[in-house]
Amino acid sequence: MRRALGLGCVLAAAIATGCGLEVQGADLFLVTRTGEGQKLTLLVNDDGTISCNGGKAKQLPDPMLLVARDESNSLNNDVKLRFAADASAQSVYSYTVKVPNGTFTFPDTAGSARKELAQLELFVVQAASGPCAGSS
């Protein structure tokens, strides 16, 4: 009886840890920045990784992961609310964001009216100079 109980505990522990299988977290968002310079695409995953321009996933610093998770919630709400903003003559970049709820596009000038979009723009700049530096 003890042996069966011990085996059951080992089996339960193996199931709880995924049996050594690499289980990937859900994607938080995919953002593509176009405009002056090179196009930049970032795929941010809830497991704490970022893939830059389709390259190999890299670890995100914890503070950036927390920002990405918060941004994901805001961006999903923007899709639900059907957020839309037109580019102006002052626009330099355009951002296309894909989240589980859908996709939307906005110009960099929209950040002046929506704090969440300004935070996403900052996240993209920080990722480009941090984990994505040197990715092509």
Side-chain angles (χ1 to χ4, degrees):
M1 181 72 161
R2 282 187 182 178
R3 186 175 191 162
L5 183 59
L7 183 59
C9 289
V10 170
L11 183 59
I15 291 170
T17 60
C19 301
L21 299 175
E22 290 187 33
V23 178
Q24 185 175 354
D27 292 335
L28 295 174
F29 56 85
L30 172 72
V31 60
T32 302
R33 182 184 72 185
T34 56
E36 286 188 11
Q38 184 178 359
K39 177 178 165 181
L40 176 63
T41 300
L42 308 174
L43 176 60
V44 182
N45 192 278
D46 194 40
D47 66 3
T49 60
I50 186 169
S51 177
C52 313
N53 294 323
K56 183 179 175 185
K58 298 178 181 184
Q59 198 64 39
L60 260 179
D62 289 340
M64 286 186 77
L65 176 58
L66 293 174
V67 169
R69 287 176 175 160
D70 187 49
E71 278 296 306
S72 177
N73 292 330
S74 296
L75 297 170
N76 273 299
N77 287 335
D78 284 338
V79 168
K80 285 181 191 175
L81 298 173
R82 298 177 190 226
F83 174 79
D86 294 325
S88 71
Q90 292 81 26
S91 296
V92 176
Y93 293 109
S94 178
Y95 295 83
T96 300
V97 180
K98 182 176 181 182
V99 292
N101 288 342
T103 303
F104 69 99
T105 300
F106 68 94
D108 55 359
T109 53
S112 64
R114 295 208 19 94
K115 174 182 82 165
E116 296 81 4
L117 299 180
Q119 289 172 334
L120 179 64
E121 291 175 36
L122 178 59
F123 179 89
V124 170
V125 168
Q126 291 173 336
S129 63
C132 294
S135 295
S136 45

